[in-house]
Amino acid sequence: ELKDEKLYSQGHKRPESDFCPLCLLAISFPMEEHAMFRTCCMKMVCNGCCLAAAKIGLHDACPFCRSPEAKNDDEAFGRVRKRVAAKDPESICHLGDLHLNGVHGMEKDQSRAIELWTEAAELGSTRAHFKLGHAYYRGVLGVAQDKVKGIHCWEVAAMQGDVGSRHFLGLAELENLNFDRAVRHLLISAKKGSKESLDRIKNLLTKGLATKAQYLEGLEGYQDAVEEMKSPDRDEIVTLMKK
């Protein structure tokens, strides 16, 4: 089918938001452990570049846009609001996260989070599509379960390179016992550095539901992706954090 051709042929490269804006390398998974989200510019700056910035004295400024660190929550929230007013999709998605978790003195508001993620998704945020996919597929965060809508959200994001969405499409196919389709999805995400996807393929191999060739293909792609995400600064910060 034409839909399948597009679904499996698109999204083999990670989205721009997955790359550190300074070293231009893809950020390792899980991204929140290997990078810091900056509300001043809505960028994920990798830990390696944060370390490099600290070495030259940029302790209290964003390594990317050089904005000084927000003095308090109100100032940080004001920065988000300013970018939301400018219709920046990632800022709108982030505001949805803040409402979901009740940050900056706001009450937790799941329905408002869904509204903001929907707006962000319409403006092109793959992260928002991923979050909506999870909410609708599982029927959580105050929305009625709608697996078709959830799958659609993940498909949109996956075709734009979102690794998490691609991985969950694979898991959804596993739930439906569509093992060939599942492995096709999981191979794409494994080759972009998802250890979870690679482990799923390995598990399927042990059950005779994936071939050795498929696992080796995923393993080689995964190892290449991991190697491409390395840098001296990133290696140094990993070593420092282990001490």
Side-chain angles (χ1 to χ4, degrees), residues 165-175 181-183 185-186:
S165 294
R166 183 68 72 175
H167 177 78
F168 277 103
L169 285 175
L171 299 190
E173 293 292 1
L174 286 181
E175 286 185 16
R181 294 177 65 86
V183 172
H185 282 302
L186 294 171

Side-chain angles (χ1 to χ4, degrees), residues 1-164:
E1 291 184 3
L2 180 60
K3 179 186 174 183
D4 275 0
E5 182 179 340
K6 288 184 177 181
L7 179 60
Y8 291 110
S9 66
Q10 296 180 11
H12 288 251
K13 300 291 184 182
R14 290 175 66 178
E16 183 181 345
S17 57
D18 279 12
F19 290 77
C20 174
L22 287 171
C23 64
L24 304 181
L25 297 176
I27 300 169
S28 302
F29 297 109
M31 289 177 60
E32 60 272 15
E33 293 183 10
H34 295 273
M36 184 175 292
F37 183 73
R38 300 284 176 167
T39 57
C40 45
C41 52
M42 293 292 152
K43 299 291 186 182
M44 293 282 285
V45 180
C46 78
N47 292 343
C49 286
C50 289
L51 174 65
K55 287 179 179 179
I56 62 173
L58 290 175
H59 297 283
D60 299 320
C62 173
F64 179 63
C65 71
R66 303 301 174 96
S67 295
E69 187 174 332
K71 297 181 179 64
N72 49 52
D73 283 351
D74 287 342
E75 184 176 340
F77 188 48
R79 291 176 175 179
V80 176
R81 281 289 191 187
K82 184 177 180 179
R83 296 181 69 91
V84 167
K87 295 297 181 182
D88 174 57
E90 294 311 318
S91 300
I92 295 170
C93 183
H94 182 62
L95 183 59
D97 297 345
L98 298 182
H99 277 285
L100 178 69
N101 297 309
V103 180
H104 297 313
M106 296 183 293
E107 292 186 8
K108 292 184 178 181
D109 190 338
Q110 293 180 340
S111 63
R112 182 60 178 150
I114 294 293
E115 288 176 5
L116 288 163
W117 290 343
T118 301
E119 181 181 354
E122 291 171 350
L123 290 171
S125 170
T126 56
R127 194 162 66 91
H129 275 293
F130 169 74
K131 292 173 180 290
L132 290 171
H134 174 74
Y136 284 109
Y137 190 84
R138 298 300 180 195
V140 295
L141 304 183
V143 301
Q145 186 175 41
D146 186 337
K147 289 191 173 184
V148 173
K149 190 169 185 176
I151 289 291
H152 174 71
C153 290
W154 282 337
E155 287 178 343
V156 171
M159 288 190 288
Q160 295 177 25
D162 185 69
V163 176

